[in-house]
Amino acid sequence: MRTGDPLHVRLLRLLRDEGAVSRAELGDRLQMPRPRLVAEVERLVGLGYVAEAGLAASRGGRRSTLVELNPRLRFAAVDLGASSIDVEVVNGRLEPVAAYAEPADIRSGPKVTLQRVNELLHKARADGAYERLDAVGVGVPGPVSFRDGVPVSPPIMPGWDRFPVRELLTREHGCPSVVDNDVNIMAIGERHGGVAHSVDDFLFVKIGTGIGCGIYLNGEVYRGTDGCAGDIGHIQVDPNGPMCSCGNLGCLEAVFSGAALAREATAVARTEASPALAERLAARGAVTALDVAQAATEGDVTCIRLIRDGGRRVGGVLAGLVSFTNPSMIVIGGGLAQLGHILLAEIRSVVYRRSLPLATGNLPVVLSELGPRAGVAGAAVLASELAFGEAA
Amino acid sequence: MRTGDPLHVRLLRLLRDEGAVSRAELGDRLQMPRPRLVAEVERLVGLGYVAEAGLAASRGGRRSTLVELNPRLRFAAVDLGASSIDVEVVNGRLEPVAAYAEPADIRSGPKVTLQRVNELLHKARADGAYERLDAVGVGVPGPVSFRDGVPVSPPIMPGWDRFPVRELLTREHGCPSVVDNDVNIMAIGERHGGVAHSVDDFLFVKIGTGIGCGIYLNGEVYRGTDGCAGDIGHIQVDPNGPMCSCGNLGCLEAVFSGAALAREATAVARTEASPALAERLAARGAVTALDVAQAATEGDVTCIRLIRDGGRRVGGVLAGLVSFTNPSMIVIGGGLAQLGHILLAEIRSVVYRRSLPLATGNLPVVLSELGPRAGVAGAAVLASELAFGEAA
């Protein structure tokens, strides 16, 4: 909680994160004189954000009334991936009251994709998950102008450039909405309810189909001048490496990512180096990053080597970023976080060896706690912050 | 000027940066009701920060009085390099009223070095540059705990670890003082009075004896969790490169920096590859980075290649940092900025080719405007900010 924020935002956040609180405790916690607090609570009750919730346990004198967020509050949280849609409707405390996850191709364009998002949300309403939404938060897999609420030149999202995502959702659902990059919302989720809880300076590294990084500095997401900060997938790690989708050679995500690992594993499966992968290829006609993870846990040395090679590449890039930003924590998430402790051990080893000792003296490198839910969790936080800010 | 800062700080900054201003204009500029402004000015006059400066030109009605910073205000600005001491005493408008520059070895330790700083400042007082100092700002060539005012594990500063620099200067000069990393103060100087004037998000890359980076994000210097953010000199650029002073192989500053370039140029001078360098070696027994710069401007192809190779290395690291932070500008400073446009052209070429197009669409990569004065200029700004903050 930043004390620079207005009182009503701090109050609503406290009720969101801690549930019902007595007026007396609210006054203590927000260091607010009683009359001003009472007036503010009344105002927020009038606006429909806050409700009475019975009497608190006695503190000796007159029993104080509990207040909580209005049980009717609802936020929609949407996480659009390269090949998936995740939608949740959550209450004021950010607890899911409806959740949908399905495969989808972001390349089918904004109209088809957002149409499906709207259908899922209307279905949630028909199922009784909400009467009306108070805000919608959306993450998309590409750079976003946070101010304008539009994707900006997103490489893997044909047809989405400058598409008015925010405007369309706001019109459809009659509430404010907010659009951000998918890695940023994962970082926001992890900071609110995951392993980075209340850590002010950390990097959230997503290793999935592509690779990206959410950056928390001084307790705020840092998005950069054009909204594309954190695009570490195209840092060159091998000048003689494979051609990347961006046209350069040896980018991190051309060398190690879900797509790169599946490609390399398929090549390996055709040789005699990995019986485990060869078996999977024969059985299903393809191998994926997940196959590599499973074969590695079964002790397949080639798969262990593939993961360690990748970890070394990621670690090399992160070592530079640690020297550059001197963060308090690194969180590894995204689909390839399933590669687990073999990957993590290799990343740690390179980061600890190659960064300035002062910067790594007390630097945890850990796996995401929220896993695949990090994105929707963060989108829900963003939506709630937007709604709270509007309660002016 | 950030509007979140208290009125008195905004007022003092305006007088620092623009000189004498009428009360009427001050009220307009700070969007402050006249009575409150008049009271605030009176208070600052009483505290000795502000003084009357005659009548303003008529705006039609009664002529408004001009106010300015008290002409007696003095700040000391100190830039400690690996091999130099720069000291300036400046007035409230940050104009130098005394300046000293001399060679010094930071490895002689904090007592000897700060003793010399104090001698120079006492000499300035004896020469009439000031009666008393209002604040001292100091930059040192290593990581600093900004909060504690002490260097922290600085690699090239034996004996300085946790030495109470701030406390010693405060006691000696009877005024508040502030200690920061040398690259940070260069960035602060360049933002206040140089090419990055009022740019909120930029990287200041110092290429000198070592290599470091000052980071401005959202209009503030970003110092990292332990004060060592921006330490890009130890990012690995060549796993088979030369051993660095930090013990790792192929760090950027082991491959290209003042020290590395002088070493490489000396080796070249002993061959027949560069007549220009061979001649300088014969004449003076050693060659420096500056010799390489001069020979390059005379057309020596080997020297041009040395500079271009270095630029390519620096550019490769910066390309990654541009993808990561998406800044609005990159400023190149430090001693090797003297290598000038050959260096700059190579850095630009790599950054523009290798970073995300969205991040480089409008990204100037420019040379420092303040050159060797960037450090003291920034130390003076820091000192003034400290003093203004104390005028509470």
Side-chain angles (χ1 to χ4, degrees), chain B residues 278-324:
Chain B
E279 197 177 296
R280 283 170 170 84
L281 181 66
R284 281 182 281 116
V287 290
T288 65
L290 189 58
D291 291 320
V292 178
Q294 286 170 347
T297 58
E298 293 160 14
D300 183 281
V301 290
T302 305
C303 288
I304 292 174
R305 184 185 56 73
L306 284 176
I307 296 173
R308 292 190 60 179
D309 285 353
R312 194 164 40 76
R313 298 300 198 173
V314 174
V317 167
L318 290 185
L321 298 180
V322 165
S323 293
F324 181 69

Side-chain angles (χ1 to χ4, degrees), chain A residues 170-391:
Chain A
T170 293
R171 211 169 45 221
E172 180 76 15
H173 302 283
C175 66
S177 43
V178 54
V179 184
D180 203 348
N181 170 267
D182 62 343
V183 190
N184 289 344
I185 62 170
M186 294 170 87
I188 292 168
E190 208 65 51
R191 181 167 191 266
H192 183 262
V195 68
H197 187 62
S198 68
V199 176
D200 279 347
D201 301 80
F202 72 97
L203 306 182
F204 181 98
V205 182
K206 177 197 141 193
I207 316 179
T209 309
I211 294 188
C213 183
I215 308 170
Y216 253 96
L217 302 177
N218 300 321
E220 307 267 5
V221 175
Y222 183 74
R223 298 184 172 88
T225 304
D226 305 288
C228 61
D231 184 30
I232 65 172
H234 299 285
I235 292 180
Q236 188 179 54
V237 295
D238 180 1
N240 307 311
M243 171 81 78
C244 180
S245 59
C246 75
N248 278 309
L249 293 177
C251 293
L252 177 60
E253 84 177 39
V255 169
F256 184 68
S257 62
L261 188 58
R263 197 181 55 231
E264 215 173 333
T266 304
V268 165
R270 298 208 169 100
T271 71
E272 289 175 3
S274 166
L277 289 182
E279 197 177 295
R280 284 171 169 84
L281 181 66
R284 279 182 281 118
V287 290
T288 66
L290 190 58
D291 291 320
V292 178
Q294 285 171 346
T297 58
E298 293 161 12
D300 184 283
V301 291
T302 305
C303 288
I304 292 174
R305 185 185 55 75
L306 284 176
I307 297 173
R308 292 190 59 179
D309 284 353
R312 195 165 40 78
R313 298 300 198 172
V314 174
V317 167
L318 291 184
L321 298 181
V322 165
S323 293
F324 181 69
T325 51
N326 182 203
S328 301
M329 180 183 276
I330 293 182
V331 184
I332 309 288
L336 257 58
Q338 294 169 15
L339 300 177
H341 287 275
I342 302 175
L343 177 68
L344 198 61
E346 194 66 27
I347 293 176
R348 281 183 180 142
S349 150
V350 178
V351 168
Y352 292 152
R353 194 171 63 237
R354 287 217 45 90
S355 310
L356 191 72
L358 178 57
T360 56
N362 186 19
L363 176 71
V365 179
V366 295
L367 290 176
S368 157
E369 204 172 286
L370 302 184
R373 230 198 123 247
V376 278
V381 175
L382 260 189
S384 71
E385 293 281 322
L386 176 64
F388 295 171
E390 305 246 320

Side-chain angles (χ1 to χ4, degrees), chain A residues 89 98 100 119-130:
Chain A
V89 175
Y100 309 94
E119 283 168 14
L120 291 171
L121 286 174
H122 292 317
K123 177 169 152 48
R125 183 172 54 192
D127 292 350
Y130 67 93

Side-chain angles (χ1 to χ4, degrees), chain A residues 21 44 133 142 181 284:
Chain A
V21 173
L44 291 170
L133 293 172
N181 170 267
R284 279 182 281 118

